[in-house]
Amino acid sequence: NMTTKEFKYGCYFEEAKRRENPALCNYILINYLEITHASDVNYVHRMNLREYCFSSLAYDTKKECLCENVVSNKDRCYFYLATQKNNSSLCEKSGKLKYYCYAIFKKDPNLCEKIEENKDKYSCYFDIAINISNENLCEKSGGSRNVCYQMIAFAKNNTTLCEKAGRFKDICYKGIEEK
């Protein structure tokens, strides 16, 4: 059930995005939003809606200066912009995600090992595995291991990899069969 305050902040957020006007983000006071990480459904990130407004506009407009308004997640803002703009020089600004960022550009799984936080390390291995279709990296992708095998099996049209896809095994076989 949405409160009046949540509705108002949501309205500012939508209007800021529609107009591509970051100044409207400043009207959003502290209000948290829970976001599930794409490569690991067990990882839920809590983000300040005001900061989310700035980072969302940064992604939409590809303006990296907007990342400076994202205090709690500035590293991730620069990381996503680097990959979105295909600009590896932004990896230097992505702080604790620097190695993850460079790993994506260089397609080098060895850089994933230098990442301190496990969730980011697992995501790095997952992303590289999918990017270069290397099923051997799936074992290092934490909770996303089964999805990793399923996606690579599908990409390679290889049903033997479906055996390693755990709970996604049936979906894996069906997906390849229907190709």
Side-chain angles (χ1 to χ4, degrees), residues 16 23-24 38 41 45 48 58 61 64 76 92 110 114 116 127 132 152 161:
L24 293 173
V41 291
H45 176 74
N48 175 310
T61 63
E64 56 239 37
R76 204 161 295 278
E92 279 304 312
N110 296 318
K114 295 181 176 189
E116 289 181 29
D127 289 344
I132 64 174
I152 293 174
L161 288 176

Side-chain angles (χ1 to χ4, degrees), residues 99-100 103 108-118 120-122 124-125 128 137 140:
Y99 293 116
Y100 186 176
D108 182 357
N110 296 318
L111 291 172
C112 298
E113 201 51 47
K114 295 181 176 189
I115 300 168
E116 289 181 29
E117 282 191 48
N118 279 339
D120 293 325
K121 186 181 292 192
Y122 298 151
C124 181
Y125 280 117
I128 300 290
L137 297 174
K140 295 182 174 187

Side-chain angles (χ1 to χ4, degrees), residues 38-40 126-135 138 141 144-159 161-166 168-169 171-173 175-176 179:
S39 66
D40 186 356
F126 176 85
D127 289 344
I128 300 290
I130 300 305
N131 203 322
I132 64 174
S133 291
N134 181 343
E135 66 273 11
C138 292
S141 65
S144 303
R145 184 174 47 107
N146 295 338
V147 175
C148 183
Y149 281 117
Q150 180 217 344
M151 290 176 74
I152 293 174
F154 188 76
K156 288 185 167 183
N157 213 23
N158 180 344
T159 55
L161 288 176
C162 291
E163 284 301 313
K164 294 183 174 185
F168 298 103
K169 184 165 87 171
I171 296 168
C172 184
Y173 280 117
I176 292 172
K179 245 181 162 182

Side-chain angles (χ1 to χ4, degrees), residues 3-175:
T3 67
T4 307
K5 196 188 306 186
E6 287 171 330
F7 179 77
K8 184 171 91 176
Y9 294 155
C11 189
Y12 281 125
F13 173 74
E14 290 303 322
E15 199 57 23
K17 286 193 52 93
R18 191 178 70 73
R19 293 184 188 184
E20 291 188 349
N21 182 351
L24 293 173
C25 296
N26 288 314
Y27 290 101
I28 301 170
L29 304 176
I30 303 296
N31 194 16
Y32 286 91
L33 184 69
E34 289 192 344
I35 302 165
T36 304
H37 194 268
S39 66
D40 186 356
V41 291
N42 297 318
Y43 172 59
V44 177
H45 176 74
R46 284 190 60 167
M47 184 180 234
N48 175 310
L49 186 56
R50 181 173 186 242
E51 290 187 6
Y52 182 68
C53 184
F54 283 114
S55 63
S56 185
L57 277 173
Y59 307 151
D60 291 351
T61 63
K62 295 181 173 60
K63 292 180 181 170
E64 56 239 37
C65 61
L66 294 176
C67 291
E68 289 302 313
N69 294 303
V70 184
V71 179
S72 65
N73 229 351
K74 191 181 296 187
D75 296 349
R76 204 161 295 278
C77 186
Y78 280 114
F79 169 79
Y80 285 127
L81 269 186
T83 56
Q84 191 179 34
K85 291 175 80 169
N86 198 24
N87 181 351
S88 64
S89 69
L90 289 175
C91 291
E92 279 304 312
K93 292 183 174 184
S94 63
K96 65 182 171 125
L97 298 174
K98 181 170 84 171
Y99 293 116
Y100 186 176
C101 191
Y102 282 123
I104 297 295
F105 281 99
K106 295 177 180 181
K107 295 179 170 77
D108 182 357
N110 296 318
L111 291 172
C112 298
E113 201 51 47
K114 295 181 176 189
I115 300 168
E116 289 181 29
E117 282 191 48
N118 279 339
K119 66 178 172 43
D120 293 325
K121 186 181 292 192
Y122 298 151
S123 294
C124 181
Y125 280 117
F126 176 85
D127 289 344
I128 300 290
I130 300 305
N131 203 322
I132 64 174
S133 291
N134 181 343
E135 66 273 11
N136 298 320
L137 297 174
C138 292
E139 282 302 316
K140 295 182 174 187
S141 65
S144 303
R145 184 174 47 107
N146 295 338
V147 175
C148 183
Y149 281 117
Q150 180 217 344
M151 290 176 74
I152 293 174
F154 188 76
K156 288 185 167 183
N157 213 23
N158 180 344
T159 55
T160 58
L161 288 176
C162 291
E163 284 301 313
K164 294 183 174 185
R167 66 177 194 238
F168 298 103
K169 184 165 87 171
D170 294 340
I171 296 168
C172 184
Y173 280 117
K174 190 173 180 154

